[in-house]
């Protein structure tokens, strides 16, 4: 169980090295790694140096907290994120989001790779997350409520900020980048879905499926942070014509979409007040 004391410990370990207020927190998922190169980094802290921070076990995710500026905006960036399938609790996974809030972050931008189930979506496309379905069988808010941070029964009528979504659509239009707006369903993984599961998840009302983002969004909304979620469709999950998918195939699509994602997020950050 993650306590307020643990959150404070982690926050203080950063506070002694950094006294600013990062307005925007960014979690770099698959396909947004290159954004790190656009950041003027003032301070880089390995996760091992922050008490209670989990350490990523996935090779394609590095583990560092970057503090600096992007488009002259103070940002705090998680280079490397955590997943339930690694064996962490959802509270451990979302501890960094709690710490972001304690340090003054008001806007959270999260990216991920996902499988596209909407037949209009293509591999390499970007979807702005309009809504989500928590299909993880767990919730990071289970347990004693941290009343200092948010309410017992947080509202979820607007998990992803409509204001940020409009800004993101405006940015995409200005940059000539095609984006969809849809529903993300989170599953535990680590295996990809069977044909029957894709059919089922599509029938539930989801456009894409992935293994992250939802816990971070729930915890951010618990603390009244505004959330923007962006997904890269790395594989097409059409149950009636499903092909085997490898990690290489996923990473290749993410790499193709990476320049689009990087310029889109950079553009959005320049507009966030
Ligand atoms: N399913 C779940 N997670 C994913 C997928 C998928 O097809 N592709 C990339 N992440």
């Amino acid at each position: 169980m993650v306590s307020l004391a643990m959150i404070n410990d982690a926050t203080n370990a950063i506070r002694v090295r950094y006294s600013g207020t990062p307005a925007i927190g960014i979690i770099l998922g698959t396909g947004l790694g290159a954004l790190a190169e656009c950041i003027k980094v003032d301070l880089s802290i390995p996760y091992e140096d922050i008490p209670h921070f989990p350490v990523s076990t996935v090779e394609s995710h590095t583990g560092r907290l970057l503090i600096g500026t992007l488009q002259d905006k103070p940002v705090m960036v998680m280079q490397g994120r955590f997943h339930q399938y690694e064996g962490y609790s959802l509270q451990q996974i979302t501890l960094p989001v709690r710490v972001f809030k304690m340090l003054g972050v008001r806007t959270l931008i999260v990216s991920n790779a996902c499988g596209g189930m909407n037949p209009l979506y293509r591999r390499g496309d970007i979807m702005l997350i309009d809504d989500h379905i928590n299909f993880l069988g767990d919730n990071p808010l289970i347990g004693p409520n941290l009343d200092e941070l948010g309410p017992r029964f947080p509202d979820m009528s607007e998990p992803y900020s409509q204001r940020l979504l409009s800004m993101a659509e405006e940015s995409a239009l200005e940059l000539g980048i095609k984006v969809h707006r849809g529903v993300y369903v989170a599953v535990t993984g680590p295996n990809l879905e069977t044909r029957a599961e894709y059919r089922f998840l599509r029938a539930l009302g989801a456009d894409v499926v992935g293994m992250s983002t939802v816990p971070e969004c729930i915890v951010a909304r618990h603390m009244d942070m505004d959330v923007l979620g962006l997904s890269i469709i790395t594989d097409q999950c059409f149950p009636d014509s499903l092909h085997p998918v490898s990690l290489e195939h996923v990473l290749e699509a993410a790499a193709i979409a990476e320049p689009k994602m990087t310029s889109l997020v950079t553009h959005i950050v320049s507009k966030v007040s």
Side-chain angles (χ1 to χ4, degrees), residues 113-116 184-185 187 189 191-193 198 209-211 232 234-237 245 250:
C114 66
Y184 177 100
V185 59
V187 296
N191 59 281
L192 300 188
E193 289 65 40
Y198 284 129
V209 52
M211 304 174 195
I232 295 178
T234 55
D235 49 303
Q236 299 186 160
C237 309
V245 170
V250 166

Side-chain angles (χ1 to χ4, degrees), residues 4-149:
L4 197 56
M6 288 163 75
I7 296 164
N8 285 332
D9 266 1
T11 305
N12 292 337
I14 299 164
R15 261 282 162 256
V16 293
R17 299 166 75 170
Y18 169 71
S19 59
T21 305
I24 303 167
I26 304 174
I27 303 179
L28 299 181
T30 309
L32 196 54
L35 187 75
E37 281 131 51
C38 306
I39 291 160
K40 204 174 135 282
V41 178
D42 297 323
L43 184 61
S44 163
I45 311 178
Y47 292 158
E48 301 92 83
D49 294 355
I50 308 172
H52 315 298
F53 253 53
V55 180
S56 183
T57 62
V58 182
E59 270 177 45
S60 46
H61 292 258
T62 35
R64 256 189 311 255
L65 188 68
L66 306 178
I67 301 172
T69 51
L70 177 62
Q71 298 282 310
D72 290 328
K73 296 273 167 68
V75 293
M76 184 162 272
V77 177
M78 280 183 73
Q79 199 178 21
R81 69 121 63 87
F82 310 104
H83 307 83
Q84 193 183 23
Y85 62 74
E86 294 173 80
Y88 296 115
S89 73
L90 297 189
Q91 292 199 355
Q92 284 176 298
I93 288 171
T94 53
L95 177 113
V97 179
R98 298 284 192 202
V99 172
F100 274 6
K101 172 74 182 189
M102 301 303 255
L103 292 167
V105 171
R106 281 174 284 117
T107 301
L108 182 69
I109 301 178
V110 193
S111 74
N112 60 54
C114 66
M117 299 182 294
N118 183 322
L120 299 177
Y121 294 6
R122 292 287 166 267
R123 182 168 180 250
D125 282 0
I126 294 172
M127 188 195 84
L128 305 172
I129 308 180
D130 183 50
D131 206 346
H132 74 220
I133 298 170
N134 177 12
F135 207 63
L136 295 171
D138 197 359
N139 190 303
L141 304 181
I142 290 175
N145 184 51
L146 299 173
D147 293 328
E148 298 83 350
L149 302 183

Side-chain angles (χ1 to χ4, degrees), residues 25 97 106-110 129 132 156 158-165 213-214 216-222 224-230:
V97 179
R106 281 174 284 117
T107 301
L108 182 69
I109 301 178
V110 193
I129 308 180
H132 74 220
M156 268 290 166
E158 193 181 330
Y160 301 87
S161 158
Q162 291 297 318
R163 180 182 60 86
L164 292 174
L165 275 161
T213 303
V214 165
E216 291 97 325
C217 173
I218 291 173
V219 164
R221 291 305 300 143
H222 178 243
D224 204 26
M225 295 162 85
D226 290 331
V227 182
L228 177 70
L230 303 104

